[in-house]
Amino acid sequence: MSRRLPPFEGFLEANRTTVFRYLTAAVGPIDADDVFQETFLAALRAYPRCTEADRLDRWILRIASRKAIDHHRGVARRPIPVAAPPERPTEVDPGANGFGPAVAAVRDLPARQRDAVAYRHILGFTVADTASLMGCSEEAVRASAYQGLRKLKEQELKERAIWTND
Amino acid sequence: MDERLTISTHEADRGSAQAADRFRAVAGDKGLVDVAVGTVGSPVGELLVAVTARGLAAISFEGEDRDRVLDRLARELSPRVLMAARPTDDVRRELDEYFRGARRRFDLRLDRRLMSPFAKDVLGATARVPFGRLATYGEIAGRIGRPRAARAVGAALGANPIPIVVPCHRVIGAGGNLTGYGGGLPRKELLLRLEGSLPSE
């Protein structure tokens, strides 16, 4: 370990906003709090054995990414107990409450595209940082982010069409 | 596209502050916090109290750098340091009782890991000076079998990690002079007035 671990309290304060932003995109604003709990509980359990004291910001985002994947698997397994599912789950209005209009659709992207878009375009990380965080090449980051953004755009056009056809 | 993907900093800060508070409470209840830190209001200012599974490990006074206090706890006890109120409830209750005059002796278990072996002796002798009584540095030195170590005794008392509960404020100079206090002399005076060892103003 190159550096000593700071008190968990300081680590939590330093990273809570970034993790919350990431999760707001990756699992949606309603579930962000629950997955935030899972993320930091896992981090607290593992903390004394953590060997990445010099890059704790990356360490916690990798845990958050895994917890987001677990969350999506859990949601996928859960049966949907409605006869006629609504067009879209009724949720917070994505345009209000400080969220950009495309944020709510990020969580529906495949995992790699979701992370590439969240790290690059929501958290504003460089391609190099995103690649190191995701453990892949910079080309792969560019490709995933591009595909993700294209899907968000298509989704947006589709929704606009639904509204204007009304 | 980028502004369509923004999450306002204000929103993320507010949401994450709430989530972090919930996390602190859950982590404390799950027993995942090795050093729980809480705040206690008192007439000598807001106290920061640190509790481990072994007991009360530290009390620090308002005005001490909170980050430095937490850093020391992380370095010397465990990095799993978290602001978590519930595990500090017993300490808060006994301090509240003490400050409103309803308690003369603390019944708290202590974690003495922040004391050196010499400081453990000094503070052990100090803990036996009862409410309302005083001892001199020389007397404490004598009681631990080091009659010429009054100065070292003073240094150990000045570095007492658990002031108030380990009552180093009851140790004064041979001439009746208050001499010094880790938390500053005005606090020592206030504590001794509260205990009736100094005339109240």
Side-chain angles (χ1 to χ4, degrees):
Chain A
M1 196 186 311
S2 47
R3 276 174 59 185
R4 226 186 35 239
L5 288 165
F8 198 88
E9 176 64 34
F11 161 70
L12 170 66
E13 273 303 303
N15 292 284
R16 64 172 165 81
T17 308
T18 303
V19 169
F20 198 81
R21 285 175 92 123
Y22 166 77
L23 290 173
T24 298
V27 302
I30 298 291
D31 292 325
D33 190 313
D34 281 345
V35 184
F36 181 96
Q37 306 302 322
E38 295 294 322
T39 299
F40 276 100
L41 283 173
L44 184 57
R45 285 199 180 88
Y47 198 55
R49 300 182 306 279
C50 172
T51 54
E52 296 176 61
D54 48 348
R55 286 316 302 261
L56 287 170
D57 51 344
R58 289 187 193 181
W59 183 67
I60 192 66
L61 278 174
R62 266 191 243 112
I63 297 175
S65 168
R66 285 200 296 275
K67 292 297 171 187
I69 290 170
D70 289 350
H71 169 82
H72 283 289
R73 284 195 188 122
V75 170
R77 269 201 309 273
R78 230 170 282 153
I80 302 164
V82 281
E87 286 278 281
R88 284 185 65 77
T90 45
E91 235 184 37
V92 289
D93 170 9
N97 298 324
F99 303 121
V103 170
V106 174
R107 63 173 182 173
D108 297 326
L109 296 172
R112 314 253 343 140
Q113 294 176 18
R114 189 169 67 220
D115 278 358
V117 169
Y119 295 149
R120 280 284 291 127
H121 299 284
I122 290 178
L123 299 184
F125 289 176
T126 63
V127 172
D129 278 348
T130 304
S132 117
L133 201 46
M134 293 178 65
C136 65
S137 69
E138 298 190 10
E139 289 67 36
V141 166
R142 287 199 187 89
S144 294
Y146 172 77
Q147 286 156 4
L149 289 182
R150 207 184 51 192
K151 262 184 216 156
L152 293 178
K153 198 100 199 173
E154 284 165 8
Q155 179 69 29
E156 218 179 321
L157 292 175
K158 218 183 292 171
E159 269 169 40
R160 205 173 299 161
I162 291 170
W163 286 110
T164 46
N165 287 349
D166 246 2
Chain B
M1 187 47 132
D2 273 12
E3 78 274 12
R4 312 185 67 72
L5 278 171
T6 51
I7 298 171
S8 85
T9 309
H10 172 73
E11 188 63 26
D13 184 60
R14 198 183 54 82
S16 72
Q18 283 173 5
D21 278 344
R22 184 150 86 91
F23 166 74
R24 289 182 181 97
V26 170
D29 292 347
K30 281 185 186 284
L32 291 171
V33 180
D34 295 333
V35 187
V37 180
T39 54
V40 180
S42 90
V44 290
E46 189 178 74
L47 306 171
L48 209 59
V49 304
V51 172
T52 72
R54 300 186 197 197
L56 173 62
I59 294 182
S60 59
F61 290 106
E62 189 173 325
E64 289 181 57
D65 183 337
R66 185 177 284 205
D67 288 342
R68 282 184 59 184
V69 171
L70 298 188
D71 273 344
R72 182 181 181 209
L73 295 168
R75 195 170 63 239
E76 300 195 27
L77 298 176
S78 161
R80 296 207 297 187
V81 177
L82 203 61
M83 298 297 296
R86 184 109 52 119
T88 65
D89 281 351
D90 286 347
V91 175
R92 185 173 304 102
R93 184 173 44 76
E94 292 208 8
L95 283 168
D96 285 345
E97 290 167 358
Y98 169 79
F99 282 114
R100 69 181 144 83
R103 171 175 289 277
R104 294 171 150 246
R105 217 192 73 216
F106 292 98
D107 297 315
L108 300 164
R109 285 184 305 127
L110 301 183
D111 181 340
R112 295 186 171 79
R113 282 179 291 169
L114 296 177
M115 302 173 188
S116 70
F118 177 72
K120 271 182 197 154
D121 287 349
V122 171
L123 296 170
T126 303
R128 287 189 285 277
V129 180
F131 184 101
R133 302 280 289 277
L134 297 169
T136 65
Y137 294 96
E139 282 166 353
I140 296 291
R143 285 174 205 175
I144 62 167
R146 302 277 299 275
R148 295 200 307 201
R151 194 172 289 268
V153 165
L157 289 169
N160 177 13
I162 322 178
I164 304 171
V165 171
V166 176
C168 57
H169 57 280
R170 293 175 196 156
V171 184
I172 62 170
N177 194 316
L178 293 188
T179 311
Y181 190 58
L185 276 178
R187 288 197 173 106
K188 188 171 189 172
E189 274 182 49
L190 199 147
L191 292 170
L192 292 177
R193 275 207 194 89
L194 184 107
E195 299 185 357
S197 296
L198 284 179
S200 48
E201 278 173 326

